[in-house]
Amino acid sequence: QVQLVESGGGLVQPGESLRLSCAASGRIFSIDTMGWYRQAPGKQRELVASITGGGRTNYVDSVKGRFTISRDMAKNTVYLQMNSLKPEDTAVYYCNVARLTTTAASWGKGTLVTVSS
């Protein structure tokens, strides 16, 4: 069983920053690749950033240079630092274990990020 609790979202103006946190528990391992995903209104969910157990990161082109994914193994927490936010970043953000994304029960409630002036 996996538990994922996202937090840190909110309403911000363009150009501002937010840091999202994901507290993970259950059968998740240090070698697991973790990811942040987002779903904007009327759009499909997309992978925003991922980080492997070894710390290697990948980002969707639209957030490269602005977002940073990191993880604290001791705290079982994954973070997404979001800088220079744009209105098109508006979405519900979710974290998940890469190997569990096809398991419906693995998804948490997400945290809403709204970027608007």
Side-chain angles (χ1 to χ4, degrees):
Q1 188 175 0
V2 174
Q3 297 85 43
L4 300 163
V5 181
E6 301 93 344
S7 63
L11 173 62
V12 297
Q13 294 184 337
E16 295 183 340
S17 298
L18 282 173
R19 189 187 74 162
L20 307 184
S21 297
C22 171
S25 62
R27 300 192 69 82
I28 302 174
F29 311 102
S30 296
I31 61 172
D32 278 327
T33 294
M34 302 294 296
W36 280 98
Y37 306 76
R38 68 186 180 188
Q39 187 164 25
K43 301 291 183 66
Q44 292 186 315
R45 184 165 53 212
E46 67 172 341
L47 175 64
V48 177
S50 64
I51 183 167
T52 69
R56 187 176 298 276
T57 60
N58 283 287
Y59 302 90
V60 67
D61 286 345
S62 60
V63 309
K64 286 181 178 177
R66 299 189 297 120
F67 290 10
T68 303
I69 187 171
S70 62
R71 68 195 299 176
D72 185 332
M73 295 293 193
K75 295 182 178 180
N76 298 313
T77 302
V78 185
Y79 303 95
L80 185 68
Q81 178 66 45
M82 305 185 295
N83 298 327
S84 302
L85 283 161
K86 303 175 180 180
E88 51 263 45
D89 295 318
T90 296
V92 177
Y93 285 71
Y94 304 86
C95 66
N96 210 340
V97 188
R99 63 181 169 85
L100 297 180
T101 56
T102 59
T103 301
S106 71
W107 295 96
K109 294 180 172 60
T111 185
L112 177 63
V113 173
T114 302
V115 185
S116 177
S117 60

Coordinates of all heavy atoms in Angstrom, one line a residue, residues 59-68 81-84:
Y59 N 13.1 16.6 -17.0 CA 12.0 17.6 -17.0 C 11.4 17.7 -18.4 O 12.0 17.5 -19.4 CB 12.6 18.9 -16.6 CG 13.2 19.0 -15.3 CD1 14.6 18.8 -15.2 CD2 12.5 19.3 -14.1 CE1 15.2 18.8 -13.9 CE2 13.2 19.3 -12.9 CZ 14.5 19.1 -12.8 OH 15.1 19.1 -11.6
V60 N 10.1 18.0 -18.4 CA 9.4 18.3 -19.6 C 10.0 19.7 -20.1 O 10.4 20.5 -19.3 CB 7.9 18.4 -19.4 CG1 7.5 19.5 -18.5 CG2 7.2 18.4 -20.7
D61 N 10.1 19.8 -21.4 CA 10.8 21.0 -21.9 C 10.2 22.3 -21.4 O 10.9 23.3 -21.2 CB 10.7 21.0 -23.5 CG 11.6 20.0 -24.1 OD1 12.5 19.5 -23.4 OD2 11.5 19.7 -25.3
S62 N 8.9 22.4 -21.2 CA 8.3 23.6 -20.8 C 8.7 24.1 -19.4 O 8.4 25.3 -19.1 CB 6.7 23.4 -20.9 OG 6.3 22.4 -20.0
V63 N 9.3 23.3 -18.6 CA 9.6 23.7 -17.3 C 11.2 23.7 -17.0 O 11.6 24.1 -16.0 CB 9.0 22.9 -16.2 CG1 7.5 22.8 -16.4 CG2 9.6 21.5 -16.1
K64 N 11.9 23.3 -18.0 CA 13.4 23.2 -17.9 C 13.9 24.6 -17.6 O 13.6 25.6 -18.2 CB 14.0 22.7 -19.1 CG 13.9 21.2 -19.3 CD 14.6 20.7 -20.6 CE 14.4 19.2 -20.7 NZ 15.0 18.7 -22.0
G65 N 14.8 24.7 -16.6 CA 15.4 25.9 -16.2 C 14.6 26.7 -15.1 O 15.0 27.6 -14.6
R66 N 13.3 26.2 -14.9 CA 12.4 26.9 -14.0 C 12.1 26.0 -12.8 O 12.0 26.5 -11.7 CB 11.1 27.4 -14.6 CG 11.3 28.3 -15.8 CD 10.0 28.9 -16.3 NE 9.1 27.9 -16.8 CZ 7.9 27.6 -16.3 NH1 7.4 28.3 -15.3 NH2 7.2 26.6 -16.9
F67 N 11.9 24.7 -13.0 CA 11.5 23.8 -11.9 C 12.7 22.9 -11.6 O 13.5 22.6 -12.4 CB 10.4 22.9 -12.4 CG 9.1 23.6 -12.6 CD1 8.9 25.0 -12.6 CD2 7.9 22.8 -12.8 CE1 7.7 25.6 -12.8 CE2 6.7 23.4 -13.0 CZ 6.6 24.8 -13.0
T68 N 12.7 22.5 -10.3 CA 13.7 21.6 -9.8 C 13.1 20.5 -8.9 O 12.4 20.9 -8.0 CB 14.8 22.3 -9.0 OG1 15.4 23.3 -9.8 CG2 15.9 21.3 -8.6
Q81 N 10.5 22.5 -6.7 CA 10.7 23.9 -6.6 C 10.3 24.5 -7.9 O 10.8 24.2 -8.9 CB 12.1 24.3 -6.2 CG 12.4 25.8 -6.2 CD 11.7 26.4 -5.0 OE1 11.7 25.9 -3.9 NE2 11.1 27.6 -5.3
M82 N 9.3 25.4 -7.9 CA 8.8 26.0 -9.1 C 9.1 27.5 -9.1 O 8.5 28.2 -8.2 CB 7.3 25.7 -9.3 CG 6.9 24.3 -9.2 SD 5.2 24.0 -9.5 CE 4.5 24.8 -8.1
N83 N 9.9 28.0 -10.0 CA 10.2 29.4 -10.1 C 9.7 30.0 -11.4 O 9.4 29.2 -12.3 CB 11.8 29.6 -10.0 CG 12.4 29.1 -8.7 OD1 11.8 29.2 -7.7 ND2 13.6 28.6 -8.8
S84 N 9.6 31.3 -11.4 CA 9.2 32.0 -12.6 C 7.9 31.4 -13.2 O 7.7 31.1 -14.4 CB 10.3 31.9 -13.7 OG 11.4 32.5 -13.2

